[in-house]
Amino acid sequence: MENIVYFNQITWRRNNQEILKDINWQIKEGEQWAILGLNGSGKTSLLNIITGYNYPTSGKMTVLDQLFGRTDLSELRKSIGYVSSALDRFQDTIQLESVENVIVSGKFASFGIYEDVSEADWRLVDQILSDLRLEYLKGKKYSVLSQGERRRVLIGRALMSQPEILILDEPCSGLDILSREEVLELMDDLKENTHLLYVTHHIEEITEAITHVALVRDGELVAAGEKHDVLTDALLSETFKIPVQVHWDSDRPWLTIEKRK
């Protein structure tokens, strides 16, 4: 398939307010994207459109070659993995679950095991633990893990459905520097088997694995394209509504705030 995600003049209104405005955007096969913008800029609204939880008010869109209006969105969602710091609200439910149980529950889109798990499922759990370099957590309870380990286990849970798109919605929110870097180190491995859509308002989280960036401000796309073309002083200053400068270190961008005169 040529387009993983295709937005054509997508607008979304809520309570007569325009939240997303005339979005034209394509994610092509093999591209790994980040969405960057301030809080309230429209990043989460874009995700909710892609996953079909919000439906466009106008425009045409496809996800994984499925045309909205002619596809079963509940079936489409089975091909999309989703990880967010918002999932932390389920921590009380899974405190006493083993790491393996948390991961395998991703097949059933549940927290907890309420269906039969096959031997093939458990083999996939072992493979995910290996791929994410988490074998050392096997047999441990979720409650004893660090915040960074919990995020990585939740990424493993999202991979259980072998998604074609993996959405990481501010997965490093609330993590310390070490835990953040442990999560970010997974990006190179993850991109081999899925299409990443990494959402953040911290430019330094855009690692080498990310090839393209979309900048969002007030419900509109400021720019979208290859990251070195998009992550410029001028475009980032427009996106963040403050003068900034970007510099690169090992193909990773870092931001400096210009002193106001």
Side-chain angles (χ1 to χ4, degrees), residues 136-189:
Y136 72 99
L137 294 181
K138 191 170 183 178
K140 290 189 176 183
K141 299 295 185 185
Y142 189 80
S143 59
V144 305
L145 307 186
S146 69
Q147 280 297 100
E149 289 170 336
R150 292 181 181 191
R151 287 295 158 78
R152 287 185 286 156
V153 167
L154 292 178
I155 290 173
R157 178 180 177 276
L159 294 174
M160 191 65 201
S161 62
Q162 299 179 296
E164 296 183 62
I165 300 173
L166 178 60
I167 294 175
L168 301 175
D169 184 11
E170 300 189 18
C172 296
S173 176
L175 299 184
D176 61 30
I177 291 175
L178 175 59
S179 297
R180 181 189 72 178
E181 294 304 309
E182 288 173 341
V183 170
L184 294 177
E185 283 176 4
L186 299 177
M187 296 300 105
D188 277 331
D189 295 330

Side-chain angles (χ1 to χ4, degrees), residues 55-87:
Y55 203 84
T57 305
S58 62
K60 174 184 176 181
M61 67 173 295
T62 63
V63 176
L64 299 174
D65 272 350
Q66 300 297 307
L67 178 64
F68 277 41
R70 298 183 182 177
T71 191
D72 183 341
L73 294 176
S74 62
E75 284 298 311
L76 175 64
R77 291 186 198 111
K78 294 178 181 179
S79 299
I80 303 174
Y82 194 96
V83 178
S84 168
S85 59
L87 294 176

